[in-house]
Amino acid sequence: MSDAPATAAAPRLSTRLGALRAILRGFVRQNPVALAAALLVLSSAAVTGSLWGDDASVWGAGPLATFSSGRWWTLLTALVIPDSPVDAFTSTLLALTALAYAERLLGSRRTGVLLVALGAAGLVVGIGLHAAAWTLTDLRPVVAAEVPVLDPTTPIAGVVMAASAFAPTLWRRRLRLVGFALLALFALYAGDADSWYRFTAAVIGLCVGAVLARGRERRSWHRSSTRETRTLLALLVAVVGSGPLVALVSGGGRGPFSLVVDAYTQYDDELLSRCGSVAQSVCDEQVALLMTRGAGPALLAVTPLVLLLVSAWGLRQGRRAAWIVALFVLVSSAVLPLLSLLDGRLRIDPWVDGSGAEYVLWALASIVIPLALAAALVVARARFTVRATRKAARIMAAVITLAFLGCATTLFVVEAMGRRSFDRELSVVDLLGLTLRRFFPPAFTNPGGGTAFPHHGPALFAYQWIGVLFWAIVVVAILWLYRRARRPEAGDVGRYRELLRRGGDTLGFLGTWAGNRHWYSDDGACAVAYRLSGDVALAVADPLAPVGRRPEALRGFADSCVEHGWTPAFYSVHADTLDDLLELGWRHVPVGVETVMDLPGLTFAGKTWQKVRQPLTRAEREGYTAVWSRWHELTVAQASQIIAIDEEWVADRALPEMGFTLGSLDELRDREVRLLLAVGPDQRIEAVTSWMPSWTDGEITGWTLDFMRRRTAGPNGMMEFLIAKAALRLQEEGATVLSLSGAPLADDPDEPVDGDPAPLRSLLRWLAEVLEPAYGFASLFRFKGKFRPRYRSLSLAYRDPLQLPAIGAAVGRAYLPDASRREMVALARTAWEGRR
């Protein structure tokens, strides 16, 4: 008995290893050049010793190493040998990811040729520009010409930009925007030579790609200009915010934005200047106690950059609060280089060595760029209309005000009590000025500040950390405010019902359920029901629209979501709606199958209907009847029995009832929903089903099964009995379609899976396995197959693959809004036991 688990585990392990080997073989087959490039970088790093931290600069390229010394072969070695272990890891990772994607777009042969050609071209042109700039005494380049460059990411950058011309519209824009933003970040802030060579290769690759893709058909793709503007400005703000951080952490050279980087350093110039005129021991003591040393002052120094990154996150979602924060910080950042020059913080005399023009240009760039970005935000202010609720704004203002008063009072009291820890006597006015100064980064207050600071004790701790505490509260308050956006009105459900009666699909009635909101076109002729889960708007079923206006409704709803900072997604849409979305450039993944019975001419005669006919005749023979009713027509005893049946069903599950597209007792109370009850000879209800109507040109032409419950200890075949009775009765009433509703996470047995990436399909199949022990979706789908239905695929349509994690989480919250952590653990345990 004890060997059984091990015996069972062996096949599973073998299966997983086999799947892993298949994935690796597929990667090697599709990306031989990317894999060869990664192996070449690692092997060359190991041979030259750079993988272990040894100096390999002799293999590098540069104006002196390549031109003056005549080592032309460095144009190749510099493209494959990294200069450090970090560079080796980064280059290998980019080769296996970004270069692999580019290879799938370009083809292996073209990728191999471009990898060598663009890498060499980027180095030759970059080195030539570097050498030309070095000959100008008044415009020194960012680093010395004798420093050789080793950078395997240079050819990768060129190939990726060339491949972007062959990418779909979404990824083409993303590759170029994100790629050049990152390249510019390192070039402008860190300013080392390899950043500029890499940037040069990318520009050349972009031009080559445009030539190679000339005449290639472009697929049209609708995207909101509002979303484009938000994404672009958010990315630019993020670059401006993260650039100085990158330069400070990496310790890079001196780029055009070097004055901005200098402004965020954490040293105190006034105190350091005194070191030249005092004894060395005194200077060492002062530096050891310097107020701007340590983690706290370092965090305070980069607070403006953190605020820019936080605002960039909000700008992407259209938040007006983020727009205000970004505008304030950008304008303030533009002032810093000017203050640095006027205060003499750079400690240089640029006009002595002839480099004054360089620093003037650098200063102008550091001032003009933030102001230009701030001006762009002002021009595009209409794009950032997502405001917080007034209550949330008042709470945030109160929290920040109280935090400032509390922190300032605490700092003043602690500093006053610890006056002896200061190097000189302080008046009350001095303490007030010192208190206010600790809430601003040193770069903002240094020109007008003094040098008094506490040397030890609680006063020094408070001096270093109280400002950090305040700004941490501000950042948390801003992020909290992002989550408190004003929501539009939920919409008039009565108006939605009127449009639904005009005509809708079999699942259209789901849009009337509680918890859904409704979007309407300007003329009120089109409508979309959606469920708002976080910042994801999940449209439920197909939109309601007159003939020929469905694409207009799809675009209008998506644009409305973008205006409110939401991510739109269409859940459980049929093929017709999906085709319209695909024409607009959307993507999709199957999420279920609807089973539909065509009622005209339906009979349960013949051998193929035996599994349905037998339960039907047996139930009738035993005295069971099918009783049609509505909830408001039930007697108290009947309603009590239905509630008891439902509670029994829920108690037998590891999780609570699912919602969203799966109805519960609440949906049965709708006056337009019909109930069909299986009643025994003793008048006891054994099973219950509910049926939702669907209309065509104002007439009811179909019914959709929703609620299905039966007694656990009741007789078998009750559901077959009720569905068969419903089909026969509704056929007599003139209905043409009987939908047995959708089966979540099921595949259409009549059609192969198409248009879906293998990893995502694997994830959905795993999710179906996890949920099966708790809800029995697969067994329910097989049960519906008894009725020989017609299968209609249901899909989830989305616009951006990077939004899938958020959409997936939103779907989970919509289906299980009340599930606790304990219940989720129970589900996982049940799934694990089921797989064993």
Side-chain angles (χ1 to χ4, degrees):
M1 295 293 292
S2 60
D3 295 336
T7 304
R12 289 199 299 269
L13 179 60
S14 176
T15 301
R16 293 174 182 174
L17 291 177
L20 180 60
R21 286 194 295 268
I23 293 175
L24 292 177
R25 284 196 299 268
F27 182 86
V28 173
R29 184 172 58 255
Q30 293 179 353
N31 309 286
V33 175
L35 183 61
L39 294 176
L40 183 60
V41 169
L42 289 177
S43 59
S44 62
V47 171
T48 59
S50 64
L51 188 61
W52 330 115
D54 295 342
D55 183 16
S57 58
V58 66
W59 304 97
L64 295 182
T66 303
F67 291 166
S68 299
S69 302
R71 292 181 293 180
W72 297 100
W73 42 267
T74 58
L75 292 176
L76 295 179
T77 57
L79 300 177
V80 297
I81 302 176
D83 63 358
S84 66
V86 174
D87 190 22
F89 172 79
T90 304
S91 301
T92 303
L93 181 62
L94 288 175
L96 296 177
T97 54
L99 184 60
Y101 178 69
E103 184 175 358
R104 290 194 292 272
L105 294 174
L106 292 169
S108 298
R109 182 178 302 178
R110 185 182 286 177
T111 300
V113 174
L114 291 179
L115 197 63
V116 177
L118 292 178
L123 282 183
V124 170
V125 175
I127 292 173
L129 295 175
H130 193 170
W134 191 253
T135 60
L136 302 177
T137 59
D138 199 36
L139 187 61
R140 298 294 179 91
V142 291
V143 294
E146 65 270 12
V147 177
V149 169
L150 292 165
D151 185 21
T153 63
T154 296
I156 295 177
V159 173
V160 170
M161 286 302 119
S164 66
F166 296 87
T169 307
L170 171 67
W171 288 102
R172 181 168 65 249
R173 177 181 178 274
R174 178 167 294 146
L175 284 173
R176 292 174 177 178
L177 186 60
V178 176
F180 276 109
L182 292 175
L183 293 172
L185 184 151
F186 284 94
L188 296 175
Y189 286 101
D192 43 1
D194 53 348
S195 296
W196 288 99
Y197 296 172
R198 195 183 308 124
F199 188 87
T200 302
V203 173
I204 298 175
L206 185 67
C207 298
V208 171
V211 174
L212 294 176
R214 186 174 50 189
R216 183 170 177 262
E217 181 181 357
R218 299 290 185 180
R219 185 178 182 182
S220 61
W221 179 50
H222 172 79
R223 288 195 65 177
S224 170
S225 60
T226 297
R227 188 169 183 265
E228 285 191 44
T229 303
R230 289 174 179 173
T231 302
L232 175 61
L233 290 176
L235 183 61
L236 293 177
V237 170
V239 168
V240 173
S242 58
L245 290 177
V246 170
L248 289 172
V249 172
S250 65
R254 191 180 73 243
F257 288 0
S258 58
L259 299 187
V260 178
V261 179
D262 292 339
Y264 290 115
T265 53
Q266 51 177 318
Y267 56 81
D268 190 303
D269 298 275
E270 292 189 40
L271 187 58
L272 292 179
S273 64
R274 296 170 55 191
C275 292
S277 58
V278 297
Q280 186 66 38
S281 60
V282 177
C283 181
D284 292 340
E285 178 184 358
Q286 295 299 311
V287 172
L289 297 174
L290 192 59
M291 60 181 176
T292 54
R293 300 289 177 179
L299 292 174
L300 185 63
V302 298
T303 294
L305 308 181
V306 175
L307 290 175
L308 280 180
L309 295 178
V310 171
S311 64
W313 176 263
L315 289 174
R316 187 182 62 87
Q317 300 173 329
R319 300 292 192 262
R320 176 53 66 95
W323 180 84
I324 295 173
V325 173
L327 198 64
F328 174 78
V329 178
L330 285 171
V331 173
S332 301
S333 300
V335 177
L336 290 183
L338 181 61
L339 294 178
S340 300
L341 287 176
L342 296 178
D343 190 52
R345 290 188 63 202
L346 294 178
R347 303 295 170 196
I348 60 170
D349 189 359
W351 302 105
V352 172
D353 60 359
S355 60
E358 174 193 354
Y359 289 100
V360 170
L361 291 176
W362 275 197
L364 289 177
S366 303
I367 294 171
V368 171
I369 296 299
L371 288 180
L373 185 53
L377 286 176
V378 172
V379 172
R381 61 187 180 276
R383 306 292 186 182
F384 305 97
T385 56
V386 183
R387 299 176 182 269
T389 62
R390 294 183 179 180
K391 180 180 178 180
R394 288 194 296 267
I395 292 176
M396 176 186 173
V399 167
I400 293 178
T401 301
L402 292 176
F404 176 77
L405 293 176
C407 291
T409 301
T410 301
L411 179 60
F412 182 85
V413 172
V414 172
E415 303 297 344
M417 294 177 63
R419 289 188 181 187
R420 294 183 179 180
S421 63
F422 284 81
D423 57 352
R424 59 184 174 88
E425 290 294 328
L426 295 178
S427 64
V428 175
V429 176
D430 293 333
L431 284 176
L432 286 174
L434 180 126
T435 299
L436 294 176
R437 211 179 144 188
R438 295 316 298 157
F439 290 94
F440 296 94
F444 285 83
T445 59
N446 185 71
T451 59
F453 64 94
H455 290 202
H456 54 78
L460 178 60
F461 182 83
Y463 193 91
Q464 290 181 328
W465 286 99
I466 202 71
V468 177
L469 174 62
F470 169 73
W471 285 109
I473 294 174
V474 171
V475 170
V476 172
I478 294 174
L479 294 175
W480 176 84
L481 191 68
Y482 288 169
R483 308 299 300 178
R484 301 300 185 275
R486 297 179 186 176
R487 304 295 193 189
E489 295 296 329
D492 183 9
V493 66
R495 186 177 174 188
Y496 183 86
R497 287 179 183 267
E498 292 178 1
L499 295 179
L500 187 62
R501 294 188 186 96
R502 180 189 62 192
D505 214 311
T506 51
L507 300 180
F509 201 83
L510 299 178
T512 65
W513 288 0
N516 289 332
R517 295 167 174 263
H518 301 94
W519 169 89
Y520 298 101
S521 59
D522 293 337
D523 61 359
C526 304
V528 173
Y530 65 96
R531 182 71 58 95
L532 194 59
S533 181
D535 287 331
V536 177
L538 294 170
V540 184
D542 302 296
L544 303 179
V547 177
R549 293 189 60 183
R550 185 167 50 209
E552 174 190 340
L554 298 173
R555 285 192 298 266
F557 173 73
D559 291 345
S560 177
C561 290
V562 172
E563 289 293 337
H564 291 95
W566 302 334
T567 298
F570 289 88
Y571 190 81
S572 292
V573 295
H574 291 101
D576 293 340
T577 300
L578 182 62
D579 290 341
D580 290 336
L581 288 168
L582 294 179
E583 286 296 323
L584 299 176
W586 289 55
R587 304 183 179 211
H588 77 285
V589 56
V591 293
V593 177
E594 183 186 12
T595 50
V596 177
M597 299 174 62
D598 295 314
L599 297 182
L602 175 67
T603 63
F604 293 117
K607 187 176 181 180
T608 56
W609 287 103
Q610 185 175 358
K611 292 183 179 180
V612 175
R613 189 173 59 253
Q614 285 182 349
L616 174 62
T617 56
R618 183 175 63 249
E620 291 177 339
R621 184 174 62 250
E622 294 176 357
Y624 288 93
T625 57
V627 178
W628 286 94
S629 182
R630 301 181 192 267
W631 184 268
H632 66 278
E633 299 172 352
L634 296 174
T635 65
V636 174
Q638 288 175 325
S640 299
Q641 290 186 67
I642 294 174
I643 293 173
I645 293 173
D646 182 66
E647 289 179 349
E648 182 184 23
W649 184 89
V650 173
D652 194 39
R653 297 296 184 271
L655 288 174
E657 285 184 288
M658 299 181 75
F660 192 32
T661 62
L662 300 174
S664 63
L665 280 177
D666 293 335
E667 284 69 42
L668 268 62
R669 292 175 168 85
D670 193 301
R671 287 181 172 268
E672 293 186 287
V673 172
R674 298 176 68 176
L675 305 180
L676 183 59
L677 315 176
V679 182
D682 56 357
Q683 298 303 308
R684 191 176 82 154
I685 299 176
E686 298 293 342
V688 57
T689 57
S690 72
W691 300 86
M692 304 178 296
S694 57
W695 290 264
T696 302
D697 297 328
E699 299 290 335
I700 294 180
T701 56
W703 293 88
T704 301
L705 174 65
D706 175 36
F707 190 87
M708 298 174 61
R709 299 286 190 272
R710 70 178 184 88
R711 294 186 186 273
T712 304
N716 294 326
M718 285 295 101
M719 285 302 165
E720 291 90 336
F721 168 69
L722 287 179
I723 294 176
K725 280 291 189 180
L728 295 175
R729 172 64 179 275
L730 297 175
Q731 182 188 48
E732 294 176 0
E733 294 179 0
T736 58
V737 173
L738 187 74
S739 171
L740 301 183
S741 195
L745 306 177
D747 292 329
D748 188 343
D750 295 337
E751 294 184 8
V753 177
D754 187 24
D756 189 31
L760 193 52
R761 290 301 304 163
S762 300
L763 175 62
L764 289 174
R765 291 192 181 99
W766 174 84
L767 184 59
E769 293 178 6
V770 169
L771 293 175
E772 177 60 24
Y775 293 105
F777 290 146
S779 58
L780 179 61
F781 183 59
R782 289 193 297 271
F783 164 77
K784 294 177 180 179
K786 296 180 180 180
F787 297 90
R788 302 176 62 192
R790 171 167 51 91
Y791 295 104
R792 302 179 67 194
S793 296
L794 300 174
S795 300
L796 164 66
Y798 58 94
R799 186 155 51 183
D800 188 341
L802 296 183
Q803 296 171 344
L804 274 177
I807 294 173
V811 172
R813 288 193 300 268
Y815 271 121
L816 294 169
D818 302 321
S820 64
R821 294 181 180 178
R822 180 178 300 179
E823 290 169 332
M824 296 302 294
V825 172
L827 172 65
R829 185 183 298 114
T830 303
W832 172 253
E833 292 174 353
R835 296 186 71 179
R836 292 181 62 186

